[in-house]
Amino acid sequence: MSDTAPAVPPATVKCLVWDLDNTLWRGTLLEDEDVVLTEAIRAVVTSLDARGILQSVCSRNDHDHAWARLEALSIADHFVLPEIGWGPKSAAVRRISERLGFAPGTIAFIDDQPAERAEVAHHLPDVRCYPAEAAATLPGLPEFSPRTVTADSRQRRRMYQSGFRRADERALFTGSHEDFLRSLDMVLSIGRATEEALSRVEELTLRTSQMNATGVHYPIEALRTLIAHPSHEVLVATLFDRFGPHGAVGVTLLRKHPEAWHLRLLATSCRVVAYGVGTVILNWLVDQAARAGVHLVADFRATDRNRMMEIAYRFAGFDERPCRCRDRISGDSGEDVQLLHLVAERRSAPAVVRLIAPELTDRAPGRAGVTSGGPE
């Protein structure tokens, strides 16, 4: 047995910040208008973008001049939150990190000047710094190689760019929050999970904490087993509005018993709490259960972060009143899981979002009958 502990893989880089002169492109813009972007560097940018790694710019240049050159090179759209000016680069990298909400340890910085890398490393020691000559090798490094690349990963840049535009408009909007939500023309689509979506579903169960009803992580193999089971539903919610996609924002795991549907997990991304996505999903589930003539029983396991999810369940009408269906389902849940119960009644369509969702009753098992006040 070896005394050497296994190497811990480096944290995946979430954003790479590029210097421009003699790093992203060959040449110095203030000295030569015709700086060159090599195909090798273009390939690095597009490769990292396809993996869901965001990229930004931190350069000592005139902003309008440099940005116009990036646009002329047909690469400007690949960069978010550009910092082009004359201040310290460490301050610029810090602003990028803070506005993205990323820890410095997930930020990388590449620059041809050792002094600039040293200045960033001194003030932000967790930021990983690379010399310009290493640019072509970055896609081969483990820290630039996410374990999985999901559909959401491939459109992550677009999602962030849409989010910035959405936030800017919200800051200027003078009406109520509900009026602003209506103005977004939101469409929430709920569908049965496909094989392609499983990586993102697993990610939602793993990374969502505040809006996760149990905190339980479901690996891909477990999800694949549930999809194949005739009495289970694995549902994925995606959100889109006039600014662009939010991506996959919610996952629901449901088991259908004859007299009650067991909501084993509801998790929604914290990014869409303000849009009421969790409430829309819950109300839709309640309405579907009412159509099927069954009760709903939901697992809730308190963690140190998911108090908001318990409030959402209570507000939707779930409680702890006794019912025979709860007793029959209790064996499916762990000892530390609380079973919340609801007698389903029809719910109205959401007011501020257009909902596209399947009829869950088309795959419901035969009903044995509910005898404790269930809807007829």
Side-chain angles (χ1 to χ4, degrees), residues 11-28:
T12 302
V13 170
K14 291 184 177 182
C15 179
L16 172 64
V17 181
W18 289 85
D19 171 48
L20 293 179
D21 292 336
N22 294 309
T23 302
L24 182 77
W25 56 47
R26 288 180 180 172
T28 301

Side-chain angles (χ1 to χ4, degrees), residues 127-269:
V127 170
R128 282 166 279 189
C129 297
Y130 301 83
E133 56 267 26
T137 70
L138 296 183
L141 299 178
E143 60 266 37
F144 291 91
S145 305
R147 184 173 63 89
T148 58
V149 177
T150 66
D152 278 6
S153 300
R154 290 188 287 272
Q155 62 177 353
R156 181 163 290 139
R157 167 176 50 89
R158 186 180 170 209
M159 289 163 56
Y160 271 84
Q161 289 169 332
S162 298
F164 297 138
R165 293 194 297 271
R166 195 179 294 116
D168 289 343
E169 178 146 330
R170 181 67 185 95
L172 298 173
F173 194 84
T174 57
S176 68
H177 180 64
E178 186 170 327
D179 287 341
F180 175 70
L181 294 183
R182 284 196 180 93
S183 77
L184 293 177
D185 298 328
M186 292 186 292
V187 178
L188 180 68
S189 297
I190 301 173
R192 293 180 171 111
T194 62
E195 180 69 26
E196 182 182 9
L198 285 185
S199 292
R200 176 56 177 153
V201 174
E202 179 191 25
E203 186 179 43
L204 279 168
T205 72
L206 178 64
R207 298 180 62 180
T208 302
S209 56
Q210 293 182 21
M211 298 301 291
N212 186 318
T214 66
V216 175
H217 170 224
Y218 286 82
I220 285 181
E221 286 305 319
L223 293 168
R224 192 173 284 124
T225 299
L226 293 178
I227 288 176
H229 198 289
S231 67
H232 283 79
E233 298 275 10
V234 180
L235 303 162
V236 184
T238 59
L239 185 64
F240 190 92
D241 64 27
R242 62 185 173 89
F243 289 100
H246 295 259
V249 296
V251 58
T252 302
L253 305 183
L254 188 72
R255 181 171 186 180
K256 295 176 176 177
H257 295 273
E259 67 261 22
W261 289 355
H262 182 191
L263 181 52
R264 299 179 63 183
L265 175 69
L266 174 62
T268 62
S269 171

